[in-house]
Amino acid sequence: MLRFTSMKTTVFLMASGSVLGNSLYALGGLIRSKWSILIARSIIGLCAAQGIPPLFISQAVRIEERSQTMFKYQSSIVGGYVMGPLLAWALEYFMKEIRYENLILDSDTLPGWFMALVYFFLLLKVFVLFEDPPPPASSRGQQGISSLPLRAFLTCLWIICAATICNSLLEVYLAKVAEEDWQWNLRYTSLYVASVSACLTSLCLIAGRLTQLVQDRKGLMILAPVGIVFSFLLMDFGLGVAGRALF
């Protein structure tokens, strides 16, 4: 799409699709069709546009500052994992307190309406404030795809993929353990996931500072073993009974 339109137009269209997808998702209780939920989730996923921010950074930020900027970008993603559970807890608490339930608006559909409103405000923000990055240098465009360091590019893709998988598994795994092993409700589970994600946000910011002190390659070599060590902490060591006793 970026070949035919500007980045601003692409972001605007993606945000419009997200408004449509979240609205359709919120109407799931009224439509009562699994296909409507599937279509809504597909539209939301297709309009996520996760590759646009790194592309914008690569064109608008100097190469000496890109690593730190990318870690800040990652911290904003993790910050979303903080805000998501908190908002889920707050919205459910609000609906339970006002005791308002119908087919269009209840504790299950309110997150969809809320996200549709958030993306609508993003539409306005993109229209008023967003500016396209400067075009790439002509010399860089003449070099073509052959100048792309393939091994380094695939390494970066793997890092982005692994980080996204870890963030997603963290949210799903912690929620499963909290609800099934610790017998927590949605409110306490949301607060716990938000607390853990908040710790990850600070780690991303620290990692961004680390890349300024050492080269990017050395920074990745230092941070990868740290991720491996913390991944082992997610393994089941047969402490389920102890966990239930503590919590």
Side-chain angles (χ1 to χ4, degrees):
M1 184 179 291
L2 290 173
R3 295 182 179 180
F4 307 102
T5 61
S6 65
M7 186 176 294
K8 181 174 184 176
T9 303
T10 302
V11 175
F12 190 87
L13 292 176
M14 294 297 100
S16 301
S18 297
V19 173
L20 174 63
N22 282 284
S23 300
L24 183 60
Y25 181 82
L27 291 173
L30 180 63
I31 300 175
R32 292 189 177 278
S33 172
K34 62 181 180 181
W35 295 108
S36 65
I37 301 298
L38 178 61
I39 294 173
R41 295 295 298 174
S42 300
I43 294 175
I44 295 172
L46 289 173
C47 296
Q50 295 182 357
I52 291 182
L55 179 61
F56 180 87
I57 292 172
S58 66
Q59 296 183 7
V61 180
R62 295 184 305 173
I63 191 170
E64 296 84 2
E65 301 175 355
R66 286 179 188 172
S67 295
Q68 184 182 12
T69 305
M70 285 300 296
F71 273 106
K72 290 180 179 179
Y73 163 67
Q74 184 65 26
S75 66
S76 67
I77 295 177
V78 180
Y81 282 92
V82 177
M83 295 300 299
L86 283 177
L87 290 173
W89 167 78
L91 293 175
E92 187 197 25
Y93 181 79
F94 174 75
M95 293 302 297
K96 296 297 182 183
E97 287 295 319
I98 65 174
R99 295 181 175 86
Y100 184 84
E101 299 282 339
N102 58 35
L103 293 177
I104 298 179
L105 184 63
D106 57 19
S107 58
D108 294 326
T109 61
L110 183 58
W113 294 119
F114 179 81
M115 290 307 303
L117 182 63
V118 169
Y119 276 106
F120 177 76
F121 283 118
L122 176 62
L123 281 175
L124 300 179
K125 184 177 180 180
V126 170
F127 181 77
V128 176
L129 300 177
F130 188 87
E131 296 182 2
D132 287 314
S138 58
S139 59
R140 184 180 176 182
Q142 294 174 356
Q143 290 177 358
I145 192 66
S146 59
S147 63
L148 182 68
L150 182 59
R151 288 181 294 180
F153 177 69
L154 293 177
T155 302
C156 292
L157 286 182
W158 171 249
I159 293 173
I160 296 174
C161 180
T164 305
I165 291 174
C166 289
N167 291 337
S168 302
L169 289 179
L170 171 69
E171 188 175 30
V172 175
Y173 179 81
L174 288 181
K176 179 177 180 297
V177 171
E179 292 180 2
E180 296 184 1
D181 293 344
W182 300 341
Q183 303 301 317
W184 287 1
N185 58 23
L186 179 60
R187 297 178 186 179
Y188 291 116
T189 302
S190 300
L191 292 175
Y192 179 66
V193 174
S195 301
V196 175
S197 300
C199 296
L200 294 178
T201 303
S202 60
L203 289 177
C204 289
L205 294 175
I206 293 173
R209 298 293 298 177
L210 178 63
T211 56
Q212 281 191 322
L213 303 177
V214 298
Q215 297 178 355
D216 293 347
R217 180 185 178 91
K218 292 181 180 179
L220 293 175
M221 293 298 293
I222 294 173
L223 294 174
V226 176
I228 294 174
V229 172
F230 280 95
S231 297
F232 277 108
L233 299 178
L234 297 177
M235 298 180 65
D236 185 7
F237 294 100
L239 300 177
V241 176
R244 286 191 292 270
L246 291 173
F247 296 94

